[in-house]
Amino acid sequence: MEYIQTILFQIPASQLDQAAEADGLLAQLDGHRQHLQGVSGFRDLRITRSINNEGNVLVVVETRWADDSSLVRYETQEPNAAAIVRAHEGILVRDSLQVLDMEALRTEASFKQSKAAETARERVVLPIAIPLGVLAFALLAIYGLSRVYLEIRGDGAVALAAALAIGVLLFAFYFVANPRAPGWQIAGVIAAVAIALAGGTTWALIEEDEPRTEANGGEPTDGEPTDGEPTDGEPTGGDPSDGGLLIMNDNLVPENFFEYEGTRNPDISVPLGQEVTFQLENRGTAIHNVQVNGTDDTYAVDICEPGDASRFCSDPGLLFGSDTGTLTVQFDEPGTYNFRCDLHFLEMVGTLVVE
């Protein structure tokens, strides 16, 4: 478990040079790291800022702690990051300072600890892992053979699937009851399954190439369309207004990223002139959002808010860990539109390709 204090504030671009001086706000925050190295429970300090040189500059300061009591002690004693920022309140944008305390569900450090514990329990886990592995292999084999069953007409596919399922259960029971079974028995089962899959798949491919008619066991079509051919006026794909799931993440690797259909920081195709809604899910522990830039390829604000007609923004505007939301877009001009997380704009990026 890990506890995080996040401090958000904005500095006018005109005050940025003053904040970056040797005794300025940013330098003091960076120097605060050395003090924290000796504080009990401290794990990390991160400071990020937006790169625009006009308007207001967003700064995010994150301190990470091993437990909640360490974070509470840090907040109630000085020096701390919040106190350092408040001491320079004169150069901050009015009412822009926010201090948030959060609890991380899983961290890289806790993952390493769990791996160490798993190694210590290896002798206990192994007798359970072996039968589970056999069961997983059996399920994969059943799934592969089920593709073959599609080519079997009538009740034969059901009978064959039931017989195979019973056989898998019997083999699993045998090997669980006999953990020291000779290797040739295990190899024999694997070889039998492999031969069955290879032979059945070859037969299914041959059968698939032959058109089904009443003469070879198929059903009469009576003028109805064959499988894979849509009827008149019936759509062939899913609802085009559903953009799918766009995931925000940060706790699997030491970086922040978007993920869409298995691709990180993706290029997503969007139809021209059509309203498309993406489902958003924050699977990390940090705060994230989505802002889509305008046609001039610039981000007009540091942190977008939903309902602003000049740009597309996630709803809600900020998604905490495990939060869900939506992003609705509609483009009247083709082109490539960038999007980002305003809080992690260097890492979390992607594009919407409108055509």
Side-chain angles (χ1 to χ4, degrees), residues 84-105:
I84 294 173
V85 174
R86 291 191 179 98
H88 295 266
E89 199 165 8
I91 66 172
L92 305 185
V93 175
R94 183 180 179 86
D95 298 327
S96 67
L97 177 60
Q98 300 180 59
V99 180
L100 306 171
D101 289 349
M102 293 172 289
E103 179 182 5
L105 299 180

Side-chain angles (χ1 to χ4, degrees), residues 177-238:
N178 299 274
R180 296 187 178 182
W184 66 264
Q185 292 183 357
I186 299 175
V189 172
I190 295 176
V193 172
I195 293 173
L197 283 173
T201 301
T202 302
W203 171 81
L205 291 175
I206 295 174
E207 288 293 308
E208 187 177 2
D209 290 337
E210 297 182 5
R212 286 285 179 177
T213 65
E214 291 183 81
N216 61 12
E219 299 293 334
T221 60
D222 292 334
E224 293 180 0
T226 59
D227 291 343
E229 296 179 358
T231 58
D232 292 340
E234 181 180 353
T236 58

Side-chain angles (χ1 to χ4, degrees), residues 4 60 62 120 122 131 136 144 149 169 204 241 245 254 260 267 291:
I4 306 170
V60 181
E62 291 184 344
E122 183 177 3
Y149 300 153
L169 292 176
S241 64
L245 178 62
Y260 183 80
D267 300 325
Q291 180 183 175

Side-chain angles (χ1 to χ4, degrees), residues 15 26 74 85 135 224 226 260 281-282 316:
Q15 301 288 339
L26 298 181
Y74 172 69
V85 174
L135 179 59
E224 293 180 0
T226 59
Y260 183 80
E281 181 179 348
N282 184 353

Side-chain angles (χ1 to χ4, degrees), residues 64-349:
R64 296 175 177 259
W65 301 88
D67 51 74
D68 57 345
S69 58
S70 297
L71 175 56
V72 171
R73 285 196 303 270
Y74 172 69
E75 290 179 321
T76 56
Q77 299 176 4
E78 293 187 7
N80 58 58
I84 294 173
V85 174
R86 291 191 179 98
H88 295 266
E89 199 165 8
I91 66 172
L92 305 185
V93 175
R94 183 180 179 86
D95 298 327
S96 67
L97 177 60
Q98 300 180 59
V99 180
L100 306 171
D101 289 349
M102 293 172 289
E103 179 182 5
L105 299 180
R106 184 184 182 194
T107 65
E108 188 174 86
S110 64
F111 176 75
K112 291 180 179 179
Q113 292 173 0
S114 66
K115 290 294 289 183
E118 181 181 351
T119 301
R121 299 190 301 267
E122 183 177 3
R123 292 186 177 181
V124 178
V125 174
L126 190 58
I128 301 175
I130 291 177
L132 288 180
V134 173
L135 179 59
F137 178 80
L139 292 175
L140 289 175
I142 292 173
Y143 174 78
L145 288 174
S146 69
R147 308 297 300 177
V148 178
Y149 300 153
L150 295 175
E151 295 299 324
I152 302 177
R153 301 302 178 182
D155 296 332
V158 176
L160 182 58
L164 182 58
I166 293 173
V168 168
L169 292 176
L170 291 176
F171 278 120
F173 177 80
Y174 173 79
F175 287 114
V176 169
N178 299 274
R180 296 187 178 182
W184 66 264
Q185 292 183 357
I186 299 175
V189 172
I190 295 176
V193 172
I195 293 173
L197 283 173
T201 301
T202 302
W203 171 81
L205 291 175
I206 295 174
E207 288 293 308
E208 187 177 2
D209 290 337
E210 297 182 5
R212 286 285 179 177
T213 65
E214 291 183 81
N216 61 12
E219 299 293 334
T221 60
D222 292 334
E224 293 180 0
T226 59
D227 291 343
E229 296 179 358
T231 58
D232 292 340
E234 181 180 353
T236 58
D239 183 0
S241 64
D242 181 9
L245 178 62
L246 180 61
I247 298 171
M248 309 161 172
N249 214 335
D250 57 76
N251 62 350
L252 300 180
V253 293
E255 64 180 14
N256 304 280
F257 59 91
F258 289 110
E259 184 174 351
Y260 183 80
E261 296 183 349
T263 300
R264 293 190 182 180
N265 293 343
D267 300 325
I268 306 174
S269 296
V270 175
L272 178 65
Q274 174 147 352
E275 183 177 280
V276 177
T277 298
F278 295 91
Q279 302 301 315
L280 306 177
E281 181 179 348
N282 184 353
R283 295 185 181 175
T285 58
I287 306 173
H288 299 301
N289 78 339
V290 184
Q291 180 183 175
V292 182
N293 67 3
T295 55
D296 57 353
D297 197 32
T298 60
Y299 294 94
V301 295
D302 290 316
I303 300 181
C304 68
E305 295 182 0
D308 190 338
S310 63
R311 66 192 56 80
F312 301 119
C313 182
S314 57
D315 187 5
L318 294 176
L319 279 76
F320 293 78
S322 301
D323 280 356
T324 59
T326 59
L327 172 68
T328 300
V329 299
Q330 182 174 358
F331 299 96
D332 297 326
E333 297 181 7
T336 299
Y337 297 79
N338 298 323
F339 65 87
R340 72 177 186 183
C341 169
D342 291 330
L343 304 181
H344 307 95
F345 44 84
L346 296 180
E347 302 169 288
M348 296 183 66
V349 295

